[in-house]
Amino acid sequence: MALKEINTDTIEIYPKDTQSDPNITLRSAKEFELMGINLVIGPVFYNNLIYLNEINNVTFLSLTNKTLNLPKNVISTGINAASQINTIKKFIELNDINKTIFLIPNLNYDLEVKKGIKDSKIKIFKEHYYDIEPTKLTKQIEKITNYEIRKQNLYDEITRVENSNDINKDKIIENLKKKYTLGNLNFDSIVIADFDESLKSVVTSLLYTDVSPKDKYLITFNQWFDKSLLKEKSSQPIYYPSINNKNLENFKNKFFNEFNQYPDHLSLLSYDLIGLIYYLTLKNDLTEINKSFKSKNSFKGKIGIFDIKNNKINHRLNFYKINNGNLEEIF
């Protein structure tokens, strides 16, 4: 579809199926190298990259969003943690948010998040790591939010007022009993580096510990416009970075008209990469296109703007808010 729109004969596509097997991936890569192909879009998955450092003359634009421990000839093109945290950082600075805590699951991408925090130079108050198992998670969130102390503060205050001579104590007690906890939290915003049902579990635990998204900014990572979040009214407002939603909807409609099915998110990324490659071929000799990823370049695609430098690709993302069941674009 991208080639049809570009309408050029300078780019040809030779597809191969890796079968999600790193050995088959290596074999296909060697076949490409023998054919004289020097640029490959793929593989999709990080696990299939492990043997590609054996290939000397091919640059791989992998669709993975992981950036750590990549072979020297592999460039991650997915929506990585640094791109998302850079966008979150922009939102935090625009809103003068001073104390941000990060909640990071103990999963296989926690180091990516740590690297993204470091690379973006975002100012954070604290990092907390949690277990995604629900019973452990709730206990950890209670500790992070000082729930037991705040709960005890409320009981103590009710007792104090009951024993006081305040003429308005009945009304004060009535108002106190409407609360669940008493006492300020030592943060202004929470960034949850999680997705899908695990994200919802974290939000539920925060609500249980009397942390309301109406009082504290609740921010998460790219949710790819998960429509189920629109129904979670108790967790709203919630904010996240993502690709340009209007461009995504236009692409999905165009894709459906062409193939009578809706695309996955990687299709839009692949579509943009074809445009990026064509753009780079206009500026560089085809035989040295891999050098284009070492120099500083920027390219505007459907996802957003690609920033290329030192064999790294970051994305300038948009920022969204879900509130009252509606999706709003912040910037």
Side-chain angles (χ1 to χ4, degrees):
M1 193 167 82
L3 284 180
K4 183 178 176 182
E5 291 192 15
I6 294 170
N7 191 24
T8 179
D9 58 3
T10 61
I11 296 176
E12 294 182 60
I13 294 180
Y14 298 86
K16 283 189 182 290
D17 185 0
T18 65
Q19 297 180 36
S20 294
D21 183 321
N23 291 294
I24 296 174
T25 301
L26 176 61
R27 188 176 70 199
S28 297
K30 286 180 177 177
E31 291 170 3
F32 278 146
E33 189 176 33
L34 288 172
M35 293 168 65
I37 290 171
N38 61 357
L39 191 64
V40 171
I41 295 178
V44 174
F45 301 113
Y46 180 80
N47 291 342
N48 293 332
L49 306 175
I50 57 176
Y51 301 131
L52 292 182
N53 54 7
E54 297 181 26
I55 308 297
N56 296 317
N57 301 309
V58 183
T59 298
F60 298 88
L61 304 180
S62 174
L63 304 185
T64 181
N65 60 1
K66 295 186 177 181
T67 60
L68 291 172
N69 303 318
L70 296 177
K72 63 182 183 302
N73 55 348
V74 173
I75 300 169
S76 164
T77 66
I79 311 297
N80 61 43
S83 297
Q84 297 177 68
I85 294 171
N86 274 325
T87 310
I88 292 170
K89 177 185 176 183
K90 179 179 175 182
F91 174 76
I92 285 172
E93 289 174 347
L94 285 172
N95 288 276
D96 294 323
I97 298 170
N98 297 313
K99 284 190 175 181
T100 298
I101 63 169
F102 261 75
L103 301 184
I104 305 167
N106 288 315
L107 293 173
N108 60 2
Y109 61 86
D110 58 341
L111 293 178
E112 292 283 342
V113 177
K114 284 197 78 168
K115 185 175 184 293
I117 290 170
K118 182 180 177 181
D119 290 348
S120 68
K121 298 179 181 176
I122 187 172
K123 291 182 180 179
I124 63 171
F125 180 55
K126 278 185 182 176
E127 295 172 24
H128 296 281
Y129 295 83
Y130 61 87
D131 195 305
I132 62 171
E133 201 278 312
T135 54
K136 293 180 180 178
L137 170 63
T138 301
K139 289 293 181 185
Q140 289 168 325
I141 297 297
E142 284 182 1
K143 187 176 180 181
I144 290 166
T145 60
N146 292 323
Y147 175 66
E148 291 298 334
I149 293 172
R150 291 159 51 233
K151 192 175 178 182
Q152 187 62 48
N153 287 345
L154 179 62
Y155 293 149
D156 291 346
E157 181 62 11
I158 290 172
T159 302
R160 187 193 70 78
V161 175
E162 284 175 339
N163 294 329
S164 73
N165 296 320
D166 195 313
I167 58 172
N168 296 315
K169 72 177 184 179
D170 289 341
K171 188 174 182 180
I172 295 170
I173 291 169
E174 183 184 348
N175 288 330
L176 285 171
K177 286 184 176 179
K178 292 176 183 177
K179 298 177 181 289
Y180 296 101
T181 61
L182 189 66
N184 294 325
L185 292 159
N186 61 354
F187 53 83
D188 304 321
S189 68
I190 311 163
V191 178
I192 309 168
D194 215 334
F195 311 91
D196 303 319
E197 294 308 311
S198 182
L199 168 66
K200 292 172 186 175
S201 293
V202 176
V203 173
T204 299
S205 294
L206 287 169
L207 292 171
Y208 169 77
T209 57
D210 198 25
V211 180
S212 170
K214 293 176 173 57
D215 300 325
K216 306 293 178 184
Y217 288 100
L218 202 59
I219 305 167
T220 185
F221 274 24
N222 177 21
Q223 300 299 313
W224 289 107
F225 307 107
D226 179 356
K227 291 186 178 177
S228 69
L229 292 176
L230 297 172
K231 301 173 185 176
E232 303 284 337
K233 296 287 183 71
S234 61
S235 65
Q236 298 172 16
I238 188 168
Y239 303 81
Y240 62 83
S242 193
I243 66 173
N244 186 285
N245 187 42
K246 289 179 183 176
N247 287 348
L248 175 62
E249 290 302 317
N250 290 337
F251 174 78
K252 285 164 66 174
N253 292 332
K254 193 180 293 184
F255 192 98
F256 186 85
N257 291 335
E258 189 80 22
F259 303 109
N260 200 35
Q261 67 182 54
Y262 285 106
D264 57 31
H265 301 126
L266 293 180
S267 298
L268 178 55
L269 184 55
S270 303
Y271 174 91
D272 261 0
L273 286 175
I274 294 291
L276 171 63
I277 291 165
Y278 178 62
Y279 164 75
L280 293 176
T281 61
L282 296 177
K283 300 179 66 177
N284 302 274
D285 186 275
L286 280 172
T287 59
E288 297 186 334
I289 194 169
N290 61 315
K291 293 182 180 178
S292 304
F293 297 97
K294 292 183 173 66
S295 56
K296 189 174 181 179
N297 284 290
S298 292
F299 169 75
K300 187 174 183 180
K302 296 293 184 185
I303 282 179
I305 297 175
F306 293 75
D307 288 320
I308 307 161
K309 188 180 179 182
N310 298 329
N311 269 10
K312 292 181 181 177
I313 291 180
N314 285 323
H315 300 269
R316 294 187 219 169
L317 301 171
N318 292 84
F319 203 76
Y320 294 90
K321 171 184 180 181
I322 295 177
N323 195 32
N324 297 322
N326 296 308
L327 180 71
E328 305 170 24
E329 183 177 312
I330 305 296
F331 58 77

